[in-house]
Amino acid sequence: MVLSTSLHSLCIIPHTSQSKIPSIFNLLKSPLSKTHLKFNPIFKPSSLSLFTQPSKLRPKTQNFRTPTIRSLFTGIVEEMGEIKQLGMADHGGFDLKIHAKTVIEDVHLGDSIAVNGTCLTVTDFDTYLGEFTVGLAPETLRKTSLSELEPGSLVNLERAIQPTGRMGGHFVQGHVDGTGEIVGKQVEGDSLWIKVKTDKNLMKYVVPKGFIAIDGTSLTVVDVFEEELCFNFMLVAYTQQKVVIPLKEIGQKVNLEVDILGKYVERLLRSGFVDSIKDSRFPETHNKTGIVNQLPKSYNTSSYM
């Protein structure tokens, strides 16, 4: 037990022993999904491993600070990073080490960085080597396509937007709703058409000319094919050079995050929010038997719908 004192408080902090953390292999077991994760234990000696031996060149700027609420992204990818190492760490969790240039310039412990559209927390970094580490929860591995990554894979990276930044794309939370499968790629001029198939639970939020985040990239849906459970989008030449989507082949997965506004609207409609507003504004239109009373002929209700 440790006694902690300060000018304003006196508290006793019980000493807790570290419990054994369950293996990621057990945590990943789920009857509803299968992953094709290739584990490369990072506690195993490797020339790339920095988990077992801390870097001697680590800058002194790596002081922990409590992260502010900044976990909002725009879907405008800042750079493509390279996976250096991934797998089980000696602390029992699953870590992902990424080489980057831009997003690591002003990084701090606890910062949020979107990796292929997945909001992840920086747990370690080395600005000299240009690398940072993020931890992955078992649910993240099941819900996203990150389980398909391997050393050398490229990933889209974006830092959380600051209040003074420009909203170049749309509101992206970094909360992946599910994955889609690339089922078609077709070149037209210098642009590239890509067709993605997903499940019906996500398709209901996909609308023509609507926003969607694909591997963290803010894109516009062009066509929706309801019967096929598919939609397509187009990448211009510039975008093709800045994101990882064109590098993926037919059959590979992409992370999908639908527009959050659509989910909010659906939630409000299902909760009876609209009906409650009607009843509160026009209480005289309903009696106890549920029969609508007649309003004055001069009253136009359409203007309030």
Side-chain angles (χ1 to χ4, degrees):
M1 182 172 295
V2 180
L3 182 64
S4 175
T5 62
S6 68
L7 294 176
H8 302 288
S9 64
L10 177 65
C11 63
I12 298 177
I13 305 174
H15 178 73
T16 58
S17 59
Q18 294 183 348
S19 59
K20 187 176 181 181
I21 302 176
S23 172
I24 193 72
F25 295 98
N26 296 326
L27 294 175
L28 282 175
K29 291 181 179 179
S30 173
L32 300 179
S33 61
K34 295 182 179 180
T35 60
H36 303 282
L37 189 61
K38 297 180 180 179
F39 289 94
N40 180 22
I42 53 180
F43 51 79
K44 189 175 182 180
S46 170
S47 59
L48 294 176
S49 176
L50 293 178
F51 290 101
T52 55
Q53 299 180 356
S55 172
K56 296 180 181 179
L57 300 174
R58 197 179 308 280
K60 295 182 179 180
T61 57
Q62 192 188 122
N63 296 322
F64 180 81
R65 61 182 177 83
T66 303
T68 55
I69 302 176
R70 307 185 296 168
S71 300
L72 183 67
F73 307 91
T74 67
I76 304 299
V77 176
E78 295 187 83
E79 67 173 320
M80 288 188 288
E82 181 183 354
I83 301 298
K84 286 297 182 181
Q85 208 160 32
L86 74 165
M88 293 289 296
D90 53 4
H91 55 70
F94 189 92
D95 283 345
L96 186 65
K97 182 183 287 291
I98 304 172
H99 176 74
K101 295 180 180 179
T102 303
V103 301
I104 205 172
E105 291 175 353
D106 57 352
V107 70
H108 298 84
L109 289 178
D111 279 356
S112 296
I113 295 180
V115 180
N116 275 0
T118 307
C119 180
L120 300 174
T121 302
V122 176
T123 59
D124 191 18
F125 67 90
D126 192 319
T127 54
Y128 183 84
L129 295 177
E131 296 176 348
F132 69 94
T133 302
V134 292
L136 299 178
E139 178 64 12
T140 303
L141 292 169
R142 288 190 290 262
K143 197 78 173 181
T144 69
S145 64
L146 297 181
S147 60
E148 296 184 347
L149 296 175
E150 57 186 12
S153 297
L154 297 180
V155 289
N156 293 332
L157 299 176
E158 181 191 358
R159 291 169 290 188
I161 188 174
Q162 296 181 351
T164 56
R166 301 179 64 179
M167 179 59 69
H170 72 283
F171 293 120
V172 178
Q173 294 180 297
H175 303 162
V176 176
D177 294 302
T179 59
E181 178 185 350
I182 298 177
V183 294
K185 297 175 68 175
Q186 183 177 355
V187 176
E188 182 179 346
D190 62 352
S191 298
L192 178 65
W193 285 97
I194 296 183
K195 190 175 183 179
V196 175
K197 182 177 182 178
T198 187
D199 61 79
K200 61 181 180 180
N201 292 327
L202 290 184
M203 278 300 298
K204 62 183 178 181
Y205 301 111
V206 181
V207 296
K209 305 303 182 288
F211 287 123
I212 190 168
I214 302 177
D215 276 345
T217 307
S218 176
L219 295 167
T220 302
V221 176
V222 178
D223 297 309
V224 175
F225 310 93
E226 295 288 354
E227 296 182 356
E228 303 177 43
L229 296 178
C230 295
F231 66 91
N232 65 2
F233 58 92
M234 178 175 278
L235 297 176
V236 298
Y238 178 83
T239 305
Q240 293 177 48
Q241 300 172 6
K242 301 297 181 180
V243 300
V244 301
I245 301 173
L247 303 178
K248 293 190 173 183
E249 303 295 336
I250 294 177
Q252 286 190 278
K253 293 181 180 179
V254 290
N255 290 329
L256 301 178
E257 180 184 335
V258 298
D259 191 356
I260 184 63
L261 298 179
K263 291 189 286 188
Y264 278 131
V265 171
E266 180 190 45
R267 176 68 175 173
L268 290 173
L269 293 175
R270 285 186 174 182
S271 65
F273 176 75
V274 176
D275 292 335
S276 66
I277 293 181
K278 292 179 181 178
D279 294 342
S280 63
R281 298 186 68 174
F282 314 115
E284 70 282 0
T285 61
H286 293 79
N287 57 32
K288 294 181 179 180
T289 62
I291 301 175
V292 180
N293 296 327
Q294 186 175 3
L295 293 172
K297 294 182 179 179
S298 60
Y299 195 81
N300 182 10
T301 59
S302 61
S303 62
Y304 289 86
M305 297 297 288

